[in-house]
Amino acid sequence: DHAGQSTIEVLNAKTGRTLWKQQREEKNAWATPLVVERNGATQVITAASNFVRSYDLDSGEIIWQCSGLTGNVIPCPVVDGDHVICMSGYQGYSAIALPLAETGDITGSEKIRWKKERGTPYIPSPLLYEGLLFYNKSNQPILTCLDSKTGEVLFGPERVSPLSNIYASPVGAGGRVYLTGRNGKTMVLERSPKFKVLATNQLNER
């Protein structure tokens, strides 16, 4: 997706042959497409400014779509059971939890599980870790944690100083959440609905 004619193209990975290609009415967006299987069909989900779209992997036809993100979408979609969560944080904030089982245009409908318009990331993707959704505001060291099913805020916005300028996506492992800033500092949190810092590590350069 870019300032010219945007497209989505699916290739045979062994031969490079184009299987299908669709024109897209989208401006700049950088989110990596998400491929997910549901009910015997494989969906290719793209997050962008006009619409989040689900394409049928076999045919290239749009299964469902929903508008609601801001411009320059970068965070990658994440799957939570039978829903997908998409975010953006450029010139506004947006997060939406969308059902994978729907068809057609579900924009503004009650089929959207939840929606948020505050404190979402510009460059980093969110971290979904066993029902908890962690994300920072814009590229700032301000962290929020939601219940991924309900959208309820469990903590935040919480300032995670001494980090600054977060471009890296958070990582979860071993019951911990790792946040890294461009100043070379990494903060380690407990995977918990409460904000609990376990450690802070410092590199000697940015």
Side-chain angles (χ1 to χ4, degrees), residues 46-116:
T46 60
S49 301
N50 287 339
F51 287 101
V52 177
R53 296 179 181 87
S54 168
Y55 294 88
D56 186 301
L57 178 64
D58 293 329
S59 67
E61 297 299 313
I62 294 175
I63 300 173
W64 57 263
Q65 66 181 25
C66 184
S67 67
L69 297 183
T70 66
N72 287 7
V73 178
I74 298 177
C76 296
V78 293
V79 167
D80 183 29
D82 56 359
H83 283 68
V84 61
I85 300 168
C86 299
M87 293 187 176
S88 62
Y90 178 73
Q91 294 183 343
Y93 303 103
S94 180
I96 45 179
L98 305 172
L100 293 168
E102 292 300 330
T103 57
D105 192 336
I106 60 173
T107 300
S109 74
E110 295 181 354
K111 296 173 181 177
I112 299 171
R113 175 185 269 178
W114 54 259
K115 182 176 175 114
K116 298 289 179 182

Side-chain angles (χ1 to χ4, degrees), residues 14-56:
K14 290 187 172 62
T15 67
R17 181 174 65 87
T18 296
L19 302 179
W20 54 262
K21 184 176 182 178
Q22 297 279 24
Q23 304 292 306
R24 284 167 59 81
E25 304 239 346
E26 293 291 349
K27 297 299 183 184
N28 295 337
W30 292 270
T32 301
L34 176 71
V35 179
V36 59
E37 292 186 22
R38 278 296 177 276
N39 300 325
T42 302
Q43 301 184 35
V44 180
I45 298 168
T46 60
S49 301
N50 287 339
F51 287 101
V52 177
R53 296 179 181 87
S54 168
Y55 294 88
D56 186 301

Side-chain angles (χ1 to χ4, degrees), residues 80 83 85 97 112-116 131-133 145-154:
D80 183 29
H83 283 68
I85 300 168
I112 299 171
R113 175 185 269 178
W114 54 259
K115 182 176 175 114
K116 298 289 179 182
L132 301 183
L133 187 69
C145 176
L146 303 182
D147 180 309
S148 65
K149 294 289 191 292
T150 66
E152 176 190 359
V153 176
L154 301 177

